[in-house]
Amino acid sequence: MRGQQIKCMVIKEFAQIRRDRNLVRLLILAPLIQLLILGFAATTDIREIRLAVRDNDHSRQSRELRRALGASGYFKIVSAAGPESRDGELLVSGRAGLALVIPQEFAKRMARDRSAAVQVIVDGSDSNFGVQGLGYLQKAIRTFAAGLEKRRQSRVGSGPPPVINIESRVWYNPGLVSRVYMVPAIMALLLLVTTMLITSMALVKERENGTIEQLIVTPLRSGEIIAGKLLPFVLIGMIELFFALVMITFVFQVRIRGSLLSLLVISVFFLLTTLGLGLFISTLVKTQQQAMLAAAFFVIMPFVLLSGFVFPVENMPRPLQAVTGLIPLKYYLQIVRGIYLKGQGWHDFWPQALALLGWGGAILGTAAVCFRKRLD
C-alpha cells in the first residue's frame, strides 16, 4: 500500500465531509447532545413504585406498616378504595403496579403467633418491574419486622423474631418472561422505522432523480401529490402490522387479551405520526444519506430511549419525563402493551389515544405544509 496515495484519499474525504455542513452537524453535534440528554434516561433502576394498600385491620401495627413502606423510598402509596374484588382494576388502569392487602387480625396474629401473612398482587406485564418491585417490597417488610423485634427486645428481652410472610400473585405474565413484554414493543418500533424511513428516503430519492419536478408540472395539486405519496405507505404499514401480529401470536405465543380492532385503529393513529415525520425529514434534507442519518439520530434513537421501550419513563428525571410527552411512540407503546397484556379498552387508554391522534394530526399537517412549500 502506498502511503502518499492513501493520504491524498483521506484529505479528499475530509474536504468532501467539510463541504457538507449538515453532515458535519449530524456527525459531531448530534451524538454529543444525545449523550448529554439520554445519559440521564438510560437507567433500569425502579423508583416510586405505585403501591396500592388495602388495610383491612385498621390497627396501629397495620398503619405503621403502611407508613414504613411509604418511608422506604421505593414506593408511592395509593389507597385502595371500594370493594376488594376491584383491586385488580388498579393494575389494569396503571394506577398501581402492586396491590398489598393487610388482612384482618394482622396485629393480633403478630402478637399471638409472632407471624402473619399479607397478600400482594404484582403487575407482571413488565418482568423487570415485577421482579424488582416484589424484591423491594420484601426488603421493606423485612426491615419493618426487624424494627418491631428491636422495639420488643427493648421491652421484654430476646425471643423468636416476628415473621411477615408475603403471599404473592403475578398477573398478566405469571412466568415473568421478558419476551412477553418486549415483543409487542418491537412490533411498534419496527412499524416506526420502516414507515418513517421508507417515506423520507422515497421522497428524497424523487428529488435526487429529478422526478419530483415532473410531478410538479402535472395537473395534480400539491395535496393530491402528498396523499398519493403517503397512502401506499399506510397500506404497507398495515400489511406489515398484519404479518407482525400473526408472528407474535403463533411464533412467540403471545396472545392479545384486548380488542384487535382497537389495536388496528390505534395503529392508524400512530401511522399518521410516522408518515408525518418521514415527510417532514424529507423537507429538511437533500440526500438519502442525510435522510437516513437524520432519522437515526433525531428520531429513532431518542424515541427508543425516551419512550419507555427499554427504560421506564417513571425513573427518568422530571425534566426528561416532560420531554417524553413529545414522543408519540411512548403513547403507542403504552396502548399496545395495555391491549396485548392487560386487555385494556378505550376507557383505559383514551388519554393516550387522544394524545397520539393529536400529535399525529399536528406532525402530518405541519409536514404537509412544509412539503407543499417545497413543491411550490
Side-chain angles (χ1 to χ4, degrees):
M1 297 179 68
R2 293 173 294 179
Q4 186 60 31
Q5 281 72 9
I6 295 175
K7 179 182 176 182
C8 292
M9 282 297 298
V10 170
I11 293 174
K12 174 255 180 190
E13 287 299 319
F14 272 118
Q16 190 171 346
I17 293 173
R18 193 175 63 250
R19 283 196 294 272
D20 192 341
R21 294 185 177 180
N22 290 332
L23 184 61
V24 172
R25 293 191 190 99
L26 285 173
L27 293 177
I28 296 178
L29 293 180
L32 293 177
I33 295 172
Q34 288 181 353
L35 176 62
L36 181 64
I37 296 175
L38 303 179
F40 291 103
T43 174
T44 57
D45 299 332
I46 297 177
R47 300 186 299 271
E48 295 188 354
I49 300 171
R50 291 183 179 179
L51 173 65
V53 177
R54 178 176 293 280
D55 185 358
N56 290 331
D57 191 41
H58 303 289
S59 63
R60 180 176 59 83
Q61 283 193 340
S62 66
R63 289 191 291 272
E64 287 181 353
L65 174 59
R66 177 190 171 111
R67 282 195 295 271
L69 294 174
S72 66
Y74 300 127
F75 303 105
K76 185 176 181 181
I77 302 299
V78 178
S79 295
E84 189 171 331
S85 58
R86 300 185 63 181
D87 285 355
E89 294 180 7
L90 296 171
L91 271 63
V92 173
S93 63
R95 283 176 288 170
L98 290 88
L100 172 70
V101 179
I102 303 175
Q104 295 178 353
E105 299 187 349
F106 171 79
K108 290 182 179 178
R109 290 174 186 171
M110 288 294 293
R112 184 181 61 222
D113 306 328
R114 307 292 300 148
S115 68
V118 294
Q119 298 176 345
V120 181
I121 303 174
V122 182
D123 180 356
S125 56
D126 180 354
S127 58
N128 179 54
F129 171 86
V131 171
Q132 289 201 42
L134 192 56
Y136 289 152
L137 184 62
Q138 291 171 337
K139 182 179 178 182
I141 288 181
R142 281 198 304 270
T143 303
F144 171 74
L148 288 180
E149 173 62 13
K150 189 174 180 180
R151 282 189 294 174
R152 196 189 70 84
Q153 286 181 0
S154 64
R155 296 195 308 269
V156 299
S158 61
V163 177
I164 301 177
N165 296 311
I166 300 177
E167 299 173 352
S168 61
R169 286 181 295 160
V170 180
W171 283 19
Y172 312 125
N173 182 12
L176 293 175
V177 180
S178 59
R179 185 177 64 248
V180 174
Y181 182 69
M182 292 304 298
V183 167
I186 292 172
M187 176 195 72
L189 183 63
L190 292 177
L191 195 62
L192 164 71
V193 172
T194 53
T195 55
M196 180 197 65
L197 204 56
I198 292 175
T199 302
S200 62
M201 293 185 67
L203 293 172
V204 174
K205 185 179 179 182
E206 290 263 16
R207 194 178 301 127
E208 284 183 325
N209 294 336
T211 52
I212 197 75
E213 286 77 8
Q214 296 176 8
L215 288 174
I216 294 173
V217 297
T218 62
L220 291 172
R221 296 176 180 175
S222 56
E224 294 170 341
I225 295 176
I226 293 172
K229 283 290 180 186
L230 295 186
L231 285 177
F233 298 113
V234 174
L235 181 60
I236 291 172
M238 296 308 292
I239 293 173
E240 180 188 343
L241 179 66
F242 170 76
F243 285 112
L245 292 174
V246 172
M247 186 172 289
I248 290 173
T249 303
F250 295 104
V251 177
F252 295 101
Q253 299 293 312
V254 180
R255 307 288 179 181
I256 184 169
R257 295 172 183 264
S259 167
L260 177 61
L261 180 60
S262 297
L263 179 61
L264 295 177
V265 172
I266 290 297
S267 298
V268 172
F269 291 177
F270 183 58
L271 283 177
L272 295 178
T273 67
T274 61
L275 296 178
L277 286 169
L279 187 63
F280 188 68
I281 290 173
S282 72
T283 64
L284 300 177
V285 300
K286 298 178 181 177
T287 65
Q288 294 183 69
Q289 182 189 35
Q290 290 179 359
M292 185 177 293
L293 288 173
F297 279 117
F298 295 111
V299 179
I300 296 175
M301 188 175 292
F303 273 36
V304 168
L305 295 178
L306 296 177
S307 64
F309 178 79
V310 178
F311 307 109
V313 174
E314 295 77 11
N315 297 350
M316 298 176 189
R318 298 291 181 189
L320 274 187
Q321 289 189 30
V323 173
T324 62
L326 305 175
I327 308 290
L329 182 61
K330 168 190 167 184
Y331 305 112
Y332 188 55
L333 285 180
Q334 290 175 346
I335 297 173
V336 167
R337 283 169 167 162
I339 292 177
Y340 247 101
L341 303 178
K342 301 181 179 180
Q344 286 184 340
W346 284 91
H347 58 284
D348 295 310
F349 57 70
W350 69 265
Q352 292 91 338
L354 197 60
L356 195 59
L357 181 61
W359 275 117
I363 293 172
L364 187 58
T366 304
V369 170
C370 295
F371 191 75
R372 187 177 297 168
K373 287 182 179 178
R374 293 292 297 266
L375 291 178
D376 294 339

